[in-house]
Amino acid sequence: MNFKTLTLTLLLGFASLQARAEMTMSHEGHDMSQMEGMEMGDTAMTRGVITRIDAANGKVGIKHEAISNLKMPPMTMTFLVADPALLEGFEAGDAVSFHAANPAGKLTVTMLQKQ
């Protein structure tokens, strides 16, 4: 095989791999509606009970189980909420499932659901 043939073969092979990678990464046409509510990656939900709500300051107190994505043991603590609208319809004593994250070093509830 001469140098031109080898070069052309390699270039066509790389182009084929690029096209396959792009097709694999495309989700166009896929029904993603069944993904709602699934726990994936760092969106694992944690169970707890609301101990207090401070809607004016966007905070919620929760007595919670261990929070796996934050490597936090069970305790009672106050979290910021990503959106104060998350607190609508909740009151102290409600059993909940929630997701907490630590953006910029501030423990924040990003999802909140009644159990």
Side-chain angles (χ1 to χ4, degrees):
M1 193 182 298
N2 65 28
F3 182 72
K4 284 184 182 179
T5 306
L6 179 60
T7 302
L8 184 58
T9 303
L10 287 173
L11 288 174
L12 289 174
F14 287 132
S16 174
L17 287 174
Q18 172 86 22
R20 280 187 175 182
E22 288 174 1
M23 287 176 26
T24 302
M25 296 303 291
S26 172
H27 294 290
E28 185 177 329
H30 293 174
D31 179 12
M32 302 300 273
S33 64
Q34 294 180 9
M35 299 296 286
E36 185 176 329
M38 292 184 74
E39 295 180 6
M40 296 178 64
D42 66 351
T43 60
M45 301 293 276
T46 303
R47 292 182 184 188
V49 176
I50 293 178
T51 58
R52 70 184 193 102
I53 294 178
D54 181 357
N57 293 308
K59 296 180 180 180
V60 61
I62 302 176
K63 180 178 181 179
H64 61 79
E65 297 177 341
I67 302 175
S68 61
N69 63 302
L70 297 176
K71 296 178 177 54
M72 183 178 292
M75 66 178 78
T76 302
M77 62 180 299
T78 301
F79 295 89
L80 293 174
V81 289
D83 180 359
L86 288 173
L87 299 174
E88 292 176 12
F90 289 94
E91 58 186 46
D94 284 346
V96 295
S97 290
F98 68 99
H99 177 262
N102 194 11
K106 297 183 181 192
L107 294 172
T108 305
V109 171
T110 60
M111 292 188 283
L112 186 64
Q113 304 170 345
K114 287 188 181 183
Q115 284 190 4

